[in-house]
């Protein structure tokens, strides 16, 4: 539930800045679902998180696959540990 509240706050904040954001919840392999939903997007934004050395060296596997397979710009945001 906290995730949906957080997404709502981000979308509301961006709307106040005049940025249009669409968000959906879909089932399936994460990278494929993101890329499938982003067909008309100008920018794909994904989060990444990791632990210790992994955080410094590698992106998460979903972020890495989206970056690799996307045919449009991708912004990867480092998410804080929860």
């Amino acid at each position: 539930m906290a995730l949906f509240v957080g997404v709502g706050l981000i979308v509301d904040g961006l709307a106040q800045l005049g940025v249009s954001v669409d968000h959906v919840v879909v089932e399936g392999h994460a990278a494929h679902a993101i890329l499938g939903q982003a067909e008309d997007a100008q920018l794909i934004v994904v989060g990444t998180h990791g632990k210790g050395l992994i955080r410094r060296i590698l992106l998460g596997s979903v972020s890495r696959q989206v970056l690799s397979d996307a045919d449009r710009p991708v912004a990867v945001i480092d998410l804080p540990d929860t």
Side-chain angles (χ1 to χ4, degrees):
M1 184 64 167
L3 174 63
F4 296 112
V5 171
V7 169
L9 292 173
I10 292 169
V11 170
D12 291 346
L14 290 170
Q16 290 178 9
L17 297 172
V19 177
S20 174
V21 176
D22 294 324
H23 66 282
V24 297
V25 177
V26 296
E27 291 185 25
H29 182 273
H32 296 154
I34 291 167
L35 293 167
Q37 289 295 313
E39 291 178 351
D40 296 326
Q42 294 177 341
L43 173 69
I44 301 171
V45 179
V46 294
T48 187
H49 58 84
K51 305 290 182 205
L53 182 61
I54 294 173
R55 174 179 288 239
R56 292 189 301 269
I57 296 174
L58 301 173
L59 294 174
S61 59
V62 172
S63 300
R64 188 172 45 248
Q65 186 171 358
V66 171
L67 273 170
S68 173
D69 295 349
D71 61 355
R72 65 201 72 243
V74 177
V76 180
I77 308 299
D78 187 23
L79 300 173
D81 291 332
T82 55

